[in-house]
Amino acid sequence: MADSKPLNWRSKAITGGVNRSPNRAMLREVGFTDNDFDKPIVGVANGHSNMNPCNAGIQPLVDRAMIALKEGGAMPQVFGVPTVTDGIGMGTEGMKYSLISREVIADAIETSVNGQMMDGALVVGACDKNMPGGMMAMARMNIPSIYVYGGTIKPGVWKGVPVNLVSSFEAVGAFSAGKMSREDYDGIERNACPTHGACGGMYTANTMSSSFEALGMSLLGSSSMANPDGEKADSAAASAKALINAIKLNLRPRDIITRKSIENAVSLIMATGGSTNGVLHFLAIASAAEVEWTIDDFEMVRKKTPVLCDLKPSGKYMMTDLHTAGGVPVVLNMLLEHGCLHGDCMTITGKTIGEELKAWRSSADGEVIRPWDKPMYAHGHLAILKGNLAPDGCVAKITGLKNPSITGPARVFDSENDTMAAITANKIKAGDVVVIRYEGPKGGPGMQEMLAPTSALIGQGLGDSIGLITDGRFSGGTWGMVVGHVSPEAYEGGLIALIEEGDSITIDAHTLTLSLNVADDVIAKRRTKWKRPAPRYTRGLMAKYMKLVGPATKGAVTDM
């Protein structure tokens, strides 16, 4: 824990002393009185936005947190944080801003909090990049901070069957293949998102919020609550109280975010069947906290952690079902009992995670959360593959598959849009290995998610019979024999750039390899002819991102 300092040692630079009277004068205009200048100033990063259901229900949570902070003796100062929504941008040029928004969010929070020398930060967000962006900022600033998740959406229902956002994407493929009626196609779209809240399976938003409980930076039990339910607002108030205590203790993110706590978070991701994006984001969070953590460490955790939860996208149940079954704390207690969780890691409450878990039950319900001796899978689902196609590594989801290996002819596309055109024209056949390249961090730019093509293939009934590799990313809603984050990426001259139509490619989860089955001399000849494509952007945010961003295997961060 950091050395003790006055509660407002940072903001004192703004509010204290005779020579600071102009600063005090401005603060009076936003509600400060004579009795408030000795109170800690807490920045409340507000991700509210009515442009998407994920963030449209955040404002009531912010309001409750602000009240609790004032009641606890702090001076909360709210500021806005930008957000984009993957589900809306998916399959469009706007999707390229998704991963970039993670960096923008981190930069925005750092700018607002450090620019006003605030003493603590409470970040509220709900969409996929809100969580890692906020956590990266917390780790950089290293002042007492807590994350408040906006909550999950509740599932919709169409003809008695639960549906969600991913159901809409899968319906595109089913409809284009003639396997779904127009009535069902429209009915799913109209009923998939019935409330406010983030996408309702163990997709990226719920993966990251759940892992923050394991990391120790969010309150236990908070990540599986549905946004519309009153307990979510109560949790926001409780989070504010916990932050005030952390400020008094001078308990900071880097006291909490350690190699051991990141291992806890990754263990939770494996046990719940979480998103491939968890790999990318925890590499970035570790980098921001200056914690030694590499892509190979995910494989270390995978080998010892079973998949305990039967959750979408490859399973049956939704986040609200996990909440009914006891939530993340049940899973954490099971991991702790079987030596897969470091119980001595500090949390934002000032207690260790082992101490906090004593207040929560640890019994699996047997359906949503399986018993330890009857897991969904004996080992984790996020595998790190290497080979001549990915010497630096790549990430594969290997559960929910009938056969975790495939060798087939390459179907090569230089963009997601070209791929979708081929899929909707029914040009992809069982046994093919689809290659989507020039969608990496620099090549995209922005490493957009491939939910549209993967969902369309699943809708066509090809989820178990084709492979797909990309230097881009996947949505947390993706499943199948899919391999993302291939590094080096095509734009940097990675071997994925040299694949030609019909080449034999092998994806093998048994041997953890990704291979292009082409002779070395042939590859060498192709390399002499390869030229880097012209950048897709030359000005603005995209161009700046291309110049700064690092490889996916290092978290695709911009400040290394």
Side-chain angles (χ1 to χ4, degrees), residues 141-164:
M141 300 182 302
N142 200 33
I143 61 171
S145 306
I146 193 168
Y147 203 96
V148 177
Y149 181 44
T152 186
I153 199 170
K154 293 186 176 183
V157 177
W158 173 245
K159 292 185 175 179
V161 177
V163 293
N164 61 86

Side-chain angles (χ1 to χ4, degrees), residues 6 39 69 76 140 180 233-234 236 251 261 324 326 345 350 354 411 448 502 507 548:
K39 297 177 181 178
L69 286 168
R140 287 184 200 169
M180 179 178 287
D234 293 341
L251 176 59
S261 71
T324 300
C345 288
R411 304 298 311 280
Q448 62 180 328
I507 306 169
L548 293 172

Side-chain angles (χ1 to χ4, degrees), residues 235-253:
S235 177
S239 298
K241 294 176 182 177
L243 177 58
I244 291 171
N245 182 59
I247 294 172
K248 291 177 180 177
L249 297 173
N250 198 22
L251 176 59
R252 306 189 205 178

